[in-house]
Amino acid sequence: MPLLEPDPRALRPAAPTTPAGDRVADARAEGTPAGLREDLVALLGPGKVLSKVSDLVRYASDASPYRFVPQVVVIAETVADVSAVFAYAHRKGRQVVLRAGGTSLNGQAQGEDVLVDVRRHWAGITVEGERARIRPGTTVARANAALARHGRVLGPDPASAIAATIGGVVANNASGMTAGTTRNSYRTLASLTVVLPSGTVVDTADPEADRRLAEREPALCAGLLALKAEIEADPALVARIRAKYEIKNTNGYRLDAFLDGDTPVRILRGLMVGSEGTFGFVAETVFDTLPLHRLASAALLFFPSLRDAAAAVPLFAEAGALAVELMDGNTLRASTAVPGVPADWAGLPKETAALLVEFRAPDEASLATAEARAAELLGKLQLATPAASVTNTFTRDAATVAGYWKARKAFVTAIGSARPPGTTLLTEDFAVPPSRLAEACEALLELQAEHGFDAAVAGHAAHGNLHFLLSFDPADQGDLDRYAAFMAAFCELTVERFDGSLKAEHATGRNIAPFLELEWGPQATELMWRTKQLLDPQGILAPRVVLDRDPLGHLRGLKTIPRIEPVADPCIECGFCEPTCPSADLTTTPRQRIVLRRELMRQPDSSPVAVELLDAYGYDAVDTCAGDSTCKLACPVGIDTGAMMKDFRHRRHTPREERTAALLAARYKQVEASARLAVGAAERISDRLLATVTEAARKAVRPDLVPEWLPEIPGAATRRMPPTSRVGAAAVYYPACVNRIFGEPAGHKGPTLPEAMVAVSERAGRPVWIPDDVAGTCCATIWHSKGYEEGNVLMANRIVEAAWGWTGGGKRPLIVDASSCTLGIAHEVVPYLTDLNRELHAELTVVDSIVWAAELLPSLTVLRTVDSAVLHPTCSMRHLGDEAELRAVAEACADEVVVPDDAGCCAFAGDRGMLHRELTESATAREAAEVTARQFSTHVSANRMCEVGMEHATGRPYHSVLLDLERATRP
């Protein structure tokens, strides 16, 4: 095995943990069949075709309990690419599935043949008054961030908004907490551009669209109008269709599109919503947006039983609540896995239930009126107060309200993380008339108990929409039979007792497709089959996702979940982590790293598939992980895939490498001085020569150990630290080693960062002291991020012991001038400390320099500002929660402050941006496009190497915001 890769004996048990039938066949070890790969490369170009076995496996899972390995993955960049793939599928008799965010809960984003990624190159939003033109790869959260500046918001608001893309939202008619039946995609989508299976492109907003479609597709136009006429000629069918959409319903195709549309194009616009990628590719959308009411008041109300909670739902709905969310006892207890949720919820009685009720208003008077109505209702309800953290009152505190919503939106992941090891998770949703919500809850719980499931229930109670989760082991025939029996009974119960919708907002998907006729009846179901035949006569798009005549189709492709490292084992592959991952558009995402890891666990040691996966895993997963752990922040239950990758880096180190790293830590004072001399010498050598030399060294050793030279790297620090005094100091100032080695950016005039920090503190009347013996100390992040455990332990204990002495046993705060170093000293060193040093660490107060500067602002006089500043918040600041302070300091120095909507981790990660510059270039591409689209007076951040990374990405000079603050307050 190459040195670059982890040792399979260290990373996987000797025997596979799942049955052979669930593993990728050894015949697929070479990836995509040669003929298929060659055809698509010739058609699209090599950069758009992914064909390695690791590529196929990482796209084999979405957020559902299904797993299908595609034959090939295409990264489509343009409408022409999609049309070309459709044409190829027609010629060759192949099948195509479109995949964007991969957050689908029923296998809609998986295929067994050609899978087309329509996320990577399909992001973008343009706000046009009260409408928004949005590309399909844009996440709901990203779209709403842009709309918020205009006081607008999208109607659909799925809990997966952080990762769910607009294309997927339209394809599934996803709704969410507040959308109901009036704010969903069907009701708020003004127009769309679609690529039909035939390759025809239709912009439904084009006044000439019907004429052009009739010219290109006369049979399609005639067929749509004929189906419309047939439906309208049957009053009973019309009444049935209308009745089915009085409650939330995404099961099957939108037959009401034939009633609401009066031309073929208008019918087509309606049919595309909820069609789950089976009718065509939605290349662009135009939404009617809604007013964003920024004032909110919410309460988390606890009730003694589910029935009591359900009975209160219509009261709040009638009072005008925008959201009324239900959570049962299992959900509340499992939510304690979510960071920030009170631990005492774990002790709640099983019978307890809660409602999260929120009112929103455009002004104070309206909100006060709503709160008065709510207070009146509270006086009439039977509430429970079983936990110390429960208040049962309404609040406007934004942090508290956000905490409530975080717990509610983590429903799937919180329950999923608590599932028994080795089981897969099924998420289902259905709807009943809201007046029968309590009855439906009780019936569901009884049915689950009858079949041996202790599942959790939550949902959008105001709309009669409930969600439940089941965990089972599909490799266990008894478990599989029990699950199959439950699903059959559940579908019969929902349809026959409640005349409900088997899918309220998650779309039909593979799990409910066999039960479609049970809900809709033979006549309506056959109309859906005829519509599919009309639009996709060769059946090239997403077979078996909406329509499936196999009564056992929902039992195909159920995935096992092999056990992996404890840090990642709770993952349910929801994909919430993907948009924040720096390597998402380069190699793999956190979810894909875990998916690949699980496939390794499925394979025996000698498997050719395992060999191929390991060959790719070193670079695709381990080396190109920035280790920033922003995936932990995005994951509702805090899974830190970055930590797992760091552990893998440690596992593949040789004993010699570990000893060398520890020796460098032990002699870091000399290393630091040598590094400063080397950087100084490099200033006298051309960038081209340095790049040539480092490239040669990378080839001779290995790319993950030898950094590549970048022209943006600043020169050496040539000035001594500014003079300071311990006497009278308000704080100890610790200049990070990166700021002791490197000087200011090229062309910088004025004080160094340490000089600026000392000057600003002095002006504010809170002087700082720099110890004389900081040389040779470090926050330990260098060793931690590379997985060098011995060096990490040595340096972590050294810095804590030194800091405890400098601060007089914690009597003064320790100010650190690089956000990653602040995070390292404040949090990341703790697991590596001795027991004594852990006690010393607990006495320290570690403060980032940006937070310190924000605290100084009231005592400073700003004498000059610049016109505009663009900020790059570092990932360490996100972990520390310091982004607001960065903005506050920047706002003191600039008249306009902008944080790009696509700001994220720059992936420079100390020196990783020099080890793998392609990682930083990919991670910063979208943010850089925003930054370079206009001119800013200043470009600022709070970490030297992140500033280097952003300068490399944008060609614009980045520096610490503290330099601007010093200039703004300089007498």
Side-chain angles (χ1 to χ4, degrees):
M1 195 63 59
L3 177 62
L4 190 60
E5 312 307 333
D7 180 347
R9 291 168 298 180
L11 299 186
R12 188 182 66 245
T17 59
T18 55
D22 192 54
R23 300 197 295 270
V24 177
D26 286 349
R28 299 286 298 282
E30 295 183 2
T32 301
L36 176 58
R37 178 177 62 251
E38 291 164 3
D39 283 353
L40 290 173
V41 167
L43 185 68
L44 304 168
K48 299 178 183 179
V49 181
L50 303 182
S51 58
K52 296 186 304 182
V53 66
S54 61
D55 294 327
L56 308 185
V57 169
R58 65 189 172 99
Y59 276 95
S61 292
D62 58 12
S64 76
Y66 293 97
R67 173 177 167 275
F68 293 101
V69 182
Q71 294 279 317
V72 68
V73 176
V74 171
I75 308 296
E77 294 185 15
T78 64
V79 165
D81 288 344
V82 176
S83 293
V85 172
F86 287 0
Y88 177 79
H90 277 114
R91 292 196 305 272
K92 299 290 187 176
R94 307 207 72 104
Q95 297 169 337
V96 179
V97 168
L98 303 161
R99 178 187 178 110
T103 59
S104 55
L105 294 167
N106 248 298
Q108 297 98 314
Q110 296 178 64
E112 299 172 79
D113 195 359
V114 180
L115 188 73
V116 181
D117 183 313
V118 288
R119 175 196 64 84
R120 185 178 302 184
H121 297 287
W122 296 88
I125 174 173
T126 303
V127 180
E128 302 170 346
E130 294 185 355
R131 285 186 169 175
R133 186 175 300 274
I134 313 173
R135 304 193 76 206
T138 310
T139 65
V140 176
R142 173 64 176 84
N144 279 333
L147 286 167
R149 293 197 296 271
H150 303 269
R152 309 295 293 181
V153 69
L154 290 173
D157 63 335
S160 56
I162 187 176
T165 61
I166 295 299
V169 166
V170 172
N172 294 291
N173 197 22
S175 47
M177 317 295 175
T178 64
T181 59
T182 60
R183 295 162 59 108
N184 60 19
S185 294
Y186 189 80
R187 299 299 178 194
T188 61
L189 187 67
S191 68
L192 53 79
T193 299
V194 58
V195 182
L196 297 177
S198 63
T200 297
V201 180
V202 182
D203 178 359
T204 65
D206 182 355
E208 296 294 309
D210 276 294
R211 179 185 62 78
R212 291 174 178 169
L213 184 62
E215 291 175 354
R216 289 287 305 273
E217 308 268 0
L220 172 60
C221 291
L224 291 173
L225 291 175
L227 286 173
K228 173 180 174 65
E230 180 180 338
I231 293 171
E232 291 180 334
D234 188 335
L237 179 59
V238 170
R240 179 61 177 160
I241 291 171
R242 290 300 188 194
K244 289 297 295 177
Y245 293 108
E246 288 179 359
I247 61 175
K248 295 175 72 172
N249 189 346
T250 59
N251 195 17
Y253 296 129
R254 292 285 311 211
L255 292 180
D256 57 343
F258 289 104
L259 305 177
D260 298 334
D262 56 357
T263 71
V265 167
R266 289 175 183 168
I267 294 170
L268 184 63
R269 186 216 69 87
L271 284 173
M272 289 304 302
V273 178
S275 62
E276 304 176 56
T278 64
F279 286 165
F281 167 54
V282 176
E284 187 174 70
T285 63
V286 178
F287 273 87
D288 289 319
T289 62
L290 303 172
L292 173 61
H293 293 162
R294 300 182 188 276
L295 300 181
S297 181
L300 190 61
L301 307 174
F302 284 69
F303 295 81
S305 71
L306 199 59
R307 175 170 283 278
D308 290 324
V313 170
L315 302 178
F316 286 107
E318 291 167 8
L322 183 64
V324 184
E325 294 292 304
L326 176 70
M327 292 177 276
D328 77 342
N330 282 349
T331 301
L332 293 168
R333 291 194 300 276
S335 294
T336 56
V338 179
V341 171
D344 61 3
W345 288 17
L348 291 169
K350 183 175 182 179
E351 298 76 19
T352 303
L355 293 180
L356 171 52
V357 182
E358 182 174 274
F359 291 89
R360 282 193 170 269
D363 53 63
E364 289 282 348
S366 300
L367 189 61
T369 300
E371 288 174 325
R373 289 196 300 266
E376 185 178 346
L377 284 176
L378 289 180
K380 301 176 182 179
L381 298 175
Q382 182 181 355
L383 298 173
T385 55
S389 60
V390 174
T391 60
N392 283 337
T393 57
F394 280 81
T395 177
R396 298 187 185 187
D397 181 71
T400 302
V401 173
Y404 292 160
W405 280 112
K406 185 177 182 181
R408 169 60 189 92
K409 291 180 179 181
F411 167 63
V412 174
T413 46
I415 300 296
S417 68
R419 74 191 189 287
T423 61
T424 193
L425 186 74
L426 174 94
T427 306
E428 275 303 343
D429 80 307
F430 68 106
V432 300
S435 61
R436 302 188 68 183
L437 180 70
E439 182 185 355
C441 285
E442 291 186 344
L444 175 62
L445 293 177
E446 289 173 4
L447 189 67
Q448 290 172 344
E450 178 184 336
H451 290 271
F453 292 107
D454 184 21
V457 178
H460 317 309
H463 307 293
N465 179 190
L466 292 173
H467 303 265
F468 64 89
L469 297 98
L470 304 176
S471 58
F472 63 100
D473 182 0
D476 182 321
Q477 189 60 48
D479 243 17
L480 187 62
D481 293 343
R482 183 166 59 99
Y483 160 69
F486 169 82
M487 282 304 301
F490 158 72
C491 291
E492 289 178 7
L493 172 75
T494 303
V495 172
E496 295 175 5
R497 180 169 168 181
F498 297 102
D499 192 20
S501 307
L502 289 176
K503 298 298 293 188
E505 61 176 358
H506 294 166
T508 312
R510 299 176 183 274
N511 198 47
I512 295 298
F515 301 98
L516 182 64
E517 187 171 327
L518 173 66
E519 176 177 339
W520 277 98
Q523 181 186 11
T525 304
E526 196 58 32
L527 283 168
M528 295 180 189
W529 278 98
R530 289 166 60 191
T531 304
K532 170 67 170 173
Q533 176 66 24
L534 184 64
L535 280 156
D536 184 16
Q538 288 188 233
I540 68 166
L541 292 184
R544 308 182 74 160
V545 166
V546 177
L547 302 173
D548 192 349
R549 297 196 192 276
D550 180 0
L552 300 180
H554 59 305
L555 305 181
R556 286 183 68 247
L558 289 166
K559 66 185 173 188
T560 58
I561 304 290
R563 297 186 70 171
I564 58 173
E565 284 70 20
V567 68
D569 194 57
C571 176
I572 62 167
E573 301 174 8
C574 69
F576 283 22
C577 56
E578 293 193 334
T580 193
C581 179
S583 58
D585 290 341
L586 178 67
T587 50
T588 56
T589 66
R591 168 168 64 177
Q592 291 173 339
R593 289 177 170 94
I594 292 170
V595 166
L596 288 166
R597 186 80 183 101
R598 285 173 170 158
E599 184 57 41
L600 279 168
M601 293 297 187
R602 293 186 181 102
Q603 298 293 328
D605 270 342
S606 58
S607 161
V609 169
V611 173
E612 291 296 322
L613 290 176
L614 280 170
D615 280 345
Y617 202 79
Y619 176 77
D620 288 352
V622 182
D623 293 344
T624 52
C625 174
D628 63 308
S629 294
T630 52
C631 50
K632 178 182 179 181
L633 299 176
C635 177
V637 293
I639 294 172
D640 188 349
T641 312
M644 185 166 77
M645 294 304 107
K646 291 172 186 175
D647 179 54
F648 285 178
R649 290 171 190 165
H650 167 67
R651 292 194 209 180
R652 70 184 182 187
H653 292 155
T654 65
R656 181 178 179 181
E657 288 175 334
E658 282 287 338
R659 288 194 299 271
T660 300
L663 182 63
L664 291 175
R667 300 178 179 176
Y668 194 61
K669 186 173 183 178
Q670 295 95 313
V671 171
E672 180 183 331
S674 299
R676 191 162 44 246
L677 288 172
V679 172
E683 292 182 79
R684 297 185 290 275
I685 304 173
S686 73
D687 288 330
R688 178 178 297 181
L689 178 58
L690 286 168
T692 301
V693 170
T694 56
E695 182 62 26
R698 285 161 62 80
K699 290 178 180 178
V701 185
R702 58 178 163 121
D704 204 50
L705 287 182
V706 180
E708 180 179 5
W709 180 262
L710 298 179
E712 294 80 11
I713 295 174
T718 56
R719 302 186 202 175
R720 294 179 177 274
M721 289 293 155
T724 57
S725 172
R726 187 169 192 169
V727 178
V732 176
Y733 169 33
Y734 179 66
C737 63
V738 67
N739 293 324
R740 304 195 303 263
I741 294 172
F742 293 105
E744 302 313 314
H748 171 75
K749 297 179 180 179
T752 63
L753 177 58
E755 289 169 344
M757 183 68 184
V758 169
V760 167
S761 299
E762 187 72 37
R763 289 170 198 160
R766 299 183 69 186
V768 294
W769 169 61
I770 302 175
D772 296 332
D773 56 345
V774 295
T777 61
C778 172
C779 65
T781 299
I782 300 172
W783 289 268
H784 177 64
S785 65
K786 293 179 179 296
Y788 288 111
E789 189 164 328
E790 292 181 38
N792 186 24
V793 168
L794 190 155
M795 192 58 75
N797 284 278
R798 179 187 293 176
I799 186 60
V800 168
E801 291 166 1
W804 194 80
W806 294 332
T807 61
K811 292 178 182 178
R812 293 187 180 96
L814 182 74
I815 313 301
V816 185
D817 65 1
S819 58
S820 59
C821 302
T822 308
L823 179 66
I825 298 173
H827 301 287
E828 292 179 344
V829 300
V830 175
Y832 306 97
L833 299 177
T834 63
D835 290 342
L836 175 59
N837 283 342
R838 195 172 287 117
E839 292 178 12
L840 300 184
H841 183 274
E843 298 180 28
L844 297 177
T845 300
V846 183
V847 180
D848 189 74
S849 58
I850 303 302
V851 175
W852 175 257
E855 293 174 358
L856 299 180
L857 288 177
S859 303
L860 293 169
T861 301
V862 174
L863 301 173
R864 60 192 66 83
T865 60
V866 296
D867 292 335
S868 60
V870 63
L871 307 188
H872 173 72
T874 69
C875 53
S876 298
M877 299 185 78
R878 290 186 59 197
H879 285 286
L880 292 165
D882 294 348
E883 291 173 278
E885 285 82 357
L886 175 66
R887 177 179 281 275
V889 174
E891 287 176 342
C893 308
D895 301 330
E896 178 194 12
V897 173
V898 174
V899 177
D901 288 333
D902 284 314
C905 177
C906 68
F908 211 83
D911 67 349
R912 194 143 295 269
M914 294 185 286
L915 296 170
H916 299 287
R917 63 187 295 178
E918 70 277 13
L919 175 60
T920 288
E921 289 167 357
S922 177
T924 56
R926 293 181 184 176
E927 181 179 356
E930 286 188 70
V931 172
T932 56
R934 60 167 288 190
Q935 292 295 321
F936 292 94
S937 305
T938 187
H939 303 72
V940 296
S941 189
N943 192 294
R944 178 58 54 82
M945 301 318 291
C946 297
E947 292 154 14
V948 171
M950 288 308 301
E951 185 165 340
H952 178 70
T954 64
R956 306 286 174 85
Y958 275 76
H959 56 261
S960 172
V961 71
L962 293 175
L963 298 178
D964 282 2
L965 183 62
E966 190 283 327
R967 177 187 175 279
T969 59
R970 188 187 306 160

